[in-house]
Amino acid sequence: MTNSITRNSVLILGATGRTGLEILYQLSKHNSKPDIHAFVRDTTKLSPSDRALFKSIVKGDARSSYDIKQAIDETNASVVVIAVGNGDNVAKSDIRTTNAHAVVAVLDQPQYSHIHAVVISSNGAGPTKIKVGLGIGTMIAYHLRHVLRDHTGQEAALVPIMDRTVLLRPTALTDKEPTGKPVYFGDKDKPPTINISRTDVAAVVAVEICDGTSDGGKIINLTNAK
């Protein structure tokens, strides 16, 4: 059994959010044409045009390992994309951490050992810090402290399956026009900018999944150029 990412069936958790939808658009444009499935709590949040791009839409609770297992079985997923969150809400939440525990409870079972994960975390989570001059980074980190704490919990929960997980830590996500040229940086480096187009992040996700560029165990810090 190979440990490289297979491209057949992709299940997106958090498919109604802006990042989840952008990942849908980028995957649907890829030449490999993977089957893309949505896992959502509220199916009414998907527009008719977005619904048309999904092979199937599965309703469920992102906190429930039972619901996630059912969705994986139903879609025969080979890749699970985790793009869950609370949108622009920076209040205290554990959705990312709880969801990661639920996903691992499923994927850590022997019959699911072939399934890979691609996860959207954040710069400032885990061992990284938001680095901006004049103390601005500290101010931003304080404003986002609950979100970053939740992402850090998410990353810790994913450790048992990290060998088949690609973890992306983008700087602040924006809806600006993509550059098509994301900049990659190390955990301890200061990025050249503090934000990145959501579309650029989604394009990297599509490449990681469809071009089979990684076997997992990979962390990608990325931002846009100046």
Side-chain angles (χ1 to χ4, degrees):
M1 179 173 61
T2 179
N3 196 40
S4 60
I5 290 182
T6 51
R7 311 161 194 176
N8 300 338
S9 183
V10 181
L11 177 65
I12 302 177
L13 311 187
T16 58
R18 285 174 291 173
T19 302
L21 286 173
E22 199 57 56
I23 292 169
L24 163 68
Y25 304 149
Q26 295 300 314
L27 285 171
S28 65
K29 294 176 184 177
H30 197 277
N31 291 335
S32 66
K33 300 298 181 186
D35 292 335
I36 312 167
H37 307 272
F39 180 89
V40 300
R41 184 179 57 203
D42 184 356
T43 60
T44 65
K45 289 185 177 181
L46 288 170
S47 69
S49 59
D50 291 337
R51 283 173 173 269
L53 296 176
F54 286 112
K55 185 175 180 65
S56 72
I57 300 169
V58 182
K59 186 175 181 179
D61 181 356
R63 298 175 180 270
S64 167
S65 59
Y66 176 83
D67 286 359
I68 291 169
K69 179 180 183 299
Q70 290 292 104
I72 289 173
D73 289 343
E74 184 176 323
T75 61
N76 195 27
S78 53
V79 181
V80 175
V81 175
I82 301 177
V84 300
N86 283 329
D88 294 328
N89 189 336
V90 298
K92 190 174 183 180
S93 172
D94 67 351
I95 180 59
R96 301 165 184 86
T97 301
T98 304
N99 167 255
H101 280 295
V103 170
V104 169
V106 178
L107 298 193
D108 210 23
Q109 298 177 37
Q111 66 268 38
Y112 300 111
S113 62
H114 63 288
I115 300 176
H116 287 73
V118 179
V119 183
I120 308 299
S121 182
S122 174
N123 177 234
T128 66
K129 295 184 181 300
I130 298 175
K131 294 189 176 182
V132 186
L134 304 176
I136 297 173
T138 301
M139 294 171 59
I140 295 172
Y142 180 78
H143 176 67
L144 298 175
R145 64 193 183 282
H146 297 308
V147 174
L148 296 177
R149 186 177 297 120
D150 197 18
H151 273 303
T152 296
Q154 176 188 51
E155 293 188 12
L158 292 166
V159 167
I161 61 165
M162 193 60 209
D163 63 331
R164 47 197 164 103
T165 296
V166 176
L167 180 73
L168 287 85
R169 291 195 192 116
T171 52
L173 295 171
T174 73
D175 296 316
K176 66 184 181 182
E177 287 296 311
T179 66
K181 297 179 180 179
V183 175
Y184 303 98
F185 59 96
D187 285 354
K188 297 182 179 181
D189 296 338
K190 179 180 177 181
T193 62
I194 61 172
N195 54 53
I196 183 169
S197 165
R198 201 180 306 272
T199 303
D200 281 331
V201 174
V204 172
V205 171
V207 168
E208 289 293 327
I209 293 172
C210 298
D211 292 349
T213 58
S214 175
D215 290 339
K218 182 177 183 179
I219 298 174
I220 304 172
N221 302 298
L222 67 166
T223 192
N224 278 149
K226 288 184 178 179

